């Protein structure tokens, strides 16, 4: 029993740490995206740097991909274990009485984000990998902004992105705030940390939504 609890706590901590890492990634990703709204040149420069710097390509990118895979595989494991535990322990499980709606639906918001990542990789990452490492196409440092605009021409594509970002907000709303608890951050700053996490969960996805819509409207 002790072992079981310990390992389930370890799983929560692992989810929280990988989630916090992805939160940092989101902030960095959003900052670069935001520049596209203000200056094509700055966006091109940053994208060229991220796309060609060996440290970013061969150190940070593999760590990021590992972080994403780890978070979603552990998320499935956690969900399955919780389901199993619930079936036995909570015969009188009464939904909202012992947990919030969002906390019980992390797996579903997570699946929407996973589907979004499939589409997003198809849109950006795969063509980028093909461009660089399969076709060995010559590098044009000004190509990034026009490529970005091209991806957001379709209203359907833009709509799918916007809907996904709403689910991202829901996922972060519970996930980011509870990650502090899972890593044992429990002191006089906890209330402010939770407030910050909740604000981040709204502001960043809303920012992504605005960027997507502005890019769609830009010709
Ligand atoms: C308006 C919103 C967004 C835009 C315009 C956008 C754009 C981009 C672009 C241009 C790339 C670079 C592809 C490459 O060169 O490798 C990229 C990569 C990526 N994006 Fe986004 N993105 C958006 C939202 C998101 C969100 C919300 C997430 C996560 C939930 C996300 C996750 C990723 C990941 C994991 C990569 C791969 C990074 C890598 O190259 O290793 N993106 N995105």
């Amino acid at each position: 029993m002790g072992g079981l609890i310990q390992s389930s706590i370890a799983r929560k901590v692992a989810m929280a740490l990988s989630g916090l890492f992805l939160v940092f990634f989101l902030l960095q990703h959003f900052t670069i995206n935001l520049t596209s709204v203000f200056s094509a040149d700055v966006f091109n420069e940053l994208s060229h740097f991220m796309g060609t710097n060996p440290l970013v390509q061969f150190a940070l990118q593999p760590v990021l991909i590992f972080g994403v895979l780890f978070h979603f595989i552990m998320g499935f494991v956690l969900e399955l274990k919780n389901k199993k535990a619930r079936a036995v322990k909570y015969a009188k499980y009464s939904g909202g009485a012992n947990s919030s709606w969002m906390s019980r639906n992390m797996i579903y918001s997570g699946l929407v984000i996973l589907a979004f990542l499939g589409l997003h990789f198809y849109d950006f990452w795969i063509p980028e990998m093909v461009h660089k490492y399969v076709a060995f196409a010559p590098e044009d440092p000004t190509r990034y902004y026009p490529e970005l605009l091209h991806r957001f021409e379709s209203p359907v594509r833009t709509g799918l992105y916007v809907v996904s970002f709403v689910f991202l907000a829901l996922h972060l709303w519970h996930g980011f705030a509870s990650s502090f608890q899972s890593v044992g951050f429990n002191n006089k700053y906890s209330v402010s940390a939770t407030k910050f996490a909740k604000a981040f969960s709204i502001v960043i996805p809303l920012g992504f939504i605005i960027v997507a819509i502005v890019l769609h409207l830009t010709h």
Side-chain angles (χ1 to χ4, degrees):
M1 184 69 194
L4 188 87
I5 291 171
Q6 259 171 22
S7 67
S8 100
I9 288 176
R11 273 194 295 273
K12 280 204 105 169
V13 173
M15 275 315 271
L17 290 177
S18 54
L20 284 170
F21 167 72
L22 294 175
V23 163
F24 273 105
F25 161 73
L26 268 186
L27 187 60
Q28 171 264 329
H29 193 25
F30 174 66
T31 310
I32 297 181
N33 286 349
L34 189 61
T35 66
S36 71
V37 169
F38 299 105
S39 160
D41 289 343
V42 174
F43 179 77
N44 276 334
E45 253 173 61
L46 289 171
S47 302
H48 174 70
F49 172 78
M50 297 300 280
T52 52
N53 183 284
L55 197 70
V56 175
Q57 287 294 297
F58 304 115
L60 291 185
Q61 183 164 262
V63 170
L64 174 64
I65 292 182
F66 175 80
V68 171
L69 287 177
F70 181 87
H71 191 74
F72 100 76
I73 291 170
M74 284 300 284
F76 272 114
V77 173
L78 207 67
E79 171 70 13
L80 290 178
K81 302 257 176 190
N82 284 349
K83 268 232 163 83
K84 240 171 133 187
R86 234 176 258 158
V88 182
K89 284 188 197 147
Y90 299 142
K92 281 193 219 142
Y93 178 67
S94 53
N98 29 29
S99 62
S100 79
W101 182 81
M102 252 342 280
S103 72
R104 281 176 282 119
N105 291 291
M106 288 302 274
I107 189 73
Y108 300 112
S109 50
L111 280 172
V112 174
I113 297 168
L114 189 62
F116 160 75
L117 281 177
L119 176 67
H120 194 45
F121 272 46
Y122 170 81
D123 279 346
F124 288 100
W125 192 71
I126 295 175
E128 191 60 29
M129 291 296 115
V130 170
H131 180 102
K132 282 190 296 219
Y133 305 118
V134 180
F136 292 105
E139 171 62 2
D140 168 9
T142 62
R143 71 186 164 88
Y144 297 94
Y145 183 72
E147 282 175 6
L148 182 71
L149 282 191
H150 181 62
R151 298 288 186 280
F152 284 90
E153 263 165 27
S154 148
V156 175
R157 187 64 108 249
T158 309
L160 285 175
Y161 271 58
V162 167
V163 171
S164 307
F165 300 152
V166 172
F167 280 88
L168 177 66
L170 294 173
H171 195 78
L172 288 171
W173 182 261
H174 172 75
F176 191 8
S178 69
S179 67
F180 295 129
Q181 268 182 329
S182 303
V183 295
F185 184 85
N186 191 357
N187 53 41
K188 63 177 173 169
Y189 301 112
S190 297
V191 173
S192 314
T194 304
K195 278 190 188 148
F196 172 77
K198 302 271 181 195
F200 183 99
S201 315
I202 303 293
V203 171
I204 298 298
L206 190 63
F208 275 120
I209 289 177
I210 293 170
V211 170
I213 293 175
V214 170
L215 291 175
H216 174 65
L217 298 175
T218 308
H219 295 287

